Amino acid sequence: MIKMKRICHLIFRLLFLLDGGVWSLRNLSISVPRAVLSGEGQSAVLRCSYDLEGAALYSIRWYRAETEFYRFVPREMPPTMVFPLPGASVDLTQSDRHQVRIVNMNRRLSGDYQCEVSADAPLFHTDIRSAPLTVVDPPFRAPRLTISRGSYARGDVLRANCSVDEAYPAPNITWILDEHKIAETVSWRPSELDFKERGAFSQLEISILEAEHYKMGLTYTSSNLNRAYQDHYVYDKVDKEDKDVLRYTLIPPPNGQFALSCIATIYDIYARKSEPVYIKEDAPHPASVTGEDSSGTAASNSFLLTSVCVCASLLTL
Ligand SMILES: *[C@@H]1O[C@H](CO)[C@@H](O)[C@H](O)[C@H]1NC(C)=O
Ligand SMILES: *[C@@H]1O[C@H](CO)[C@@H](O)[C@H](O)[C@H]1NC(C)=O
Ligand SMILES: *[C@@H]1O[C@H](CO)[C@@H](O)[C@H](O)[C@H]1NC(C)=O
């Protein structure tokens, strides 16, 4: 009986091909959440939409990584068949010809999900669509931020680390300075699914500019520094040689302090922020009143002048 069905199916598919395409199945599309949380009480609803153009439905089959786990055949009684999906179950009350609901998933069920639709006789036109789904085991705690110093002086370089507990998949880390995203570490993704939990780590170096340079209005040739005048904050893209450390150049904030925090994210399903760290300037400069800083400016100017002279004399040698 099954064999006969198979043969008929093949013959009809062949006929369909010879026919040059009589469509009785169109606009098949799959809609699967990119990520869901693992565990009890969590679920994923996978949808499949299609247009049979008046033809009857023969079957809907759902696969995870090539293994069928749900079948809906309206002509059969009962119409539903479920095959065991290790580490989860199908909620039959909310599964039908348009969707399947999976409950209590574990992360080993991450992977590609497919929906296959077949129209009924005579053509049995069949089509399939696939989409990835990741079952997320989030980190246990909030990300932790450590910083080399709790205060800064102009010209300093501060170093900060953000570390995140093991999770699946490894989270991305975003750095936030005074509500602005300034840098991001994108987690390494294994080429094959190994379902291993991994921690995440990001190192950031913040160089705080000398205010004098800014006030004197020296023109920097570096495009990164030029951007500082427009954006207030500069994010030098990762250095090629030392790509593990993110670098950021900061113009000293006028109020003499800034807040730093980091956020761990996993797709759009998990985001958690570290405790913010407030970093204050060691000895706040007096508010810039005209003439206040003249001594500093003069010193810098004479230094500049000396440098120019030295260079000039070197050139004339
Ligand atoms: C279905 O596909 C046809 C073309 O194949 C397109 O014109 C139509 O807009 C699609 N309908 C939907 C609902 O996507
Ligand atoms: C950041 O991590 C690096 C590498 O593990 C370590 O050498 C450094 O001391 C850490 N710095 C801070 C401020 O925690
Ligand atoms: C991390 O960020 C990259 C780039 O934005 C994104 O493609 C990837 O899906 C993100 N990974 C996670 C686990 O959120």
Side-chain angles (χ1 to χ4, degrees):
M1 186 59 200
I2 297 226
K3 257 205 176 131
M4 275 298 290
K5 219 181 204 172
R6 267 273 154 89
I7 290 164
C8 284
H9 192 123
L10 279 175
I11 289 172
F12 281 124
R13 287 195 82 163
L14 204 63
L15 279 176
F16 170 78
L17 287 176
L18 293 175
D19 197 49
V22 170
W23 294 288
S24 50
L25 171 59
R26 274 179 123 167
N27 295 6
L28 175 61
S29 72
I30 187 171
S31 159
V32 168
R34 183 63 193 86
V36 295
L37 290 173
S38 71
E40 293 264 321
Q42 303 292 341
S43 66
V45 176
L46 285 50
R47 292 197 173 82
C48 195
S49 74
Y50 46 89
D51 181 359
L52 289 169
E53 300 196 307
L57 175 68
Y58 174 65
S59 69
I60 303 282
R61 290 157 199 252
W62 281 94
Y63 303 85
R64 188 220 150 238
E66 324 276 297
T67 307
E68 188 178 3
F69 64 90
Y70 178 82
R71 187 188 299 175
F72 183 88
V73 185
R75 271 203 272 135
E76 276 166 23
M77 265 329 273
T80 311
M81 261 176 102
V82 176
F83 308 92
L85 196 57
S89 46
V90 171
D91 172 5
L92 286 178
T93 66
Q94 290 186 55
S95 302
D96 57 23
R97 63 178 69 209
H98 296 297
Q99 67 175 44
V100 55
R101 180 167 181 263
I102 312 176
V103 292
N104 307 337
M105 299 178 85
N106 75 33
R107 66 174 185 268
R108 293 181 176 277
L109 287 174
S110 299
D112 282 337
Y113 281 76
Q114 292 165 306
C115 155
E116 186 189 68
V117 180
S118 301
D120 207 341
L123 293 177
F124 289 106
H125 182 45
T126 299
D127 205 353
I128 191 159
R129 290 288 178 278
S130 173
L133 180 155
T134 301
V135 184
V136 172
D137 273 323
F140 188 61
R141 293 177 293 180
R144 284 173 314 287
L145 177 57
T146 55
I147 187 136
S148 57
R149 285 189 61 195
S151 62
Y152 70 89
R154 296 177 184 207
D156 271 0
V157 175
L158 297 182
R159 288 177 187 83
N161 290 348
C162 179
S163 52
V164 186
D165 291 340
E166 298 207 322
Y168 182 85
N172 287 344
I173 295 176
T174 306
W175 289 94
I176 309 285
L177 196 149
D178 285 346
E179 316 295 321
H180 302 273
K181 290 187 182 182
I182 56 163
E184 188 177 32
T185 294
V186 171
S187 282
W188 169 82
R189 200 160 33 144
S191 53
E192 282 187 31
L193 291 174
D194 65 355
F195 307 115
K196 253 178 85 172
E197 287 190 295
R198 290 188 169 81
F201 182 71
S202 179
Q203 274 183 288
L204 175 71
E205 252 185 43
I206 301 179
S207 308
I208 294 147
L209 288 182
E210 299 276 1
E212 283 76 12
H213 293 184
Y214 183 51
K215 284 187 193 148
M216 279 170 65
L218 287 183
T219 351
Y220 293 91
T221 46
S222 148
S223 61
N224 286 326
L225 286 168
N226 282 336
R227 270 186 52 208
Y229 294 104
Q230 298 147 21
D231 295 346
H232 187 66
Y233 299 116
V234 197
Y235 167 34
D236 305 1
K237 272 263 159 76
V238 184
D239 274 353
K240 281 281 180 300
E241 316 84 67
D242 192 6
K243 66 165 181 277
D244 289 342
V245 182
L246 299 167
R247 292 173 209 286
Y248 183 80
T249 308
L250 178 70
I251 293 168
N255 64 353
Q257 79 160 35
F258 61 91
L260 188 67
S261 55
C262 61
I263 303 180
T265 55
I266 302 177
Y267 299 111
D268 57 354
I269 206 162
Y270 173 88
R272 205 158 160 196
K273 197 171 176 178
S274 70
E275 286 291 328
V277 176
Y278 297 92
I279 304 148
K280 287 194 165 60
E281 189 165 0
D282 280 334
H285 284 213
S288 129
V289 180
T290 340
E292 278 281 306
D293 270 355
S294 56
S295 59
T297 310
S300 301
N301 273 337
S302 63
F303 168 73
L304 195 72
L305 207 63
T306 320
S307 314
V308 168
C309 292
V310 170
C311 289
S313 53
L314 280 174
L315 278 177
T316 52
L317 281 179

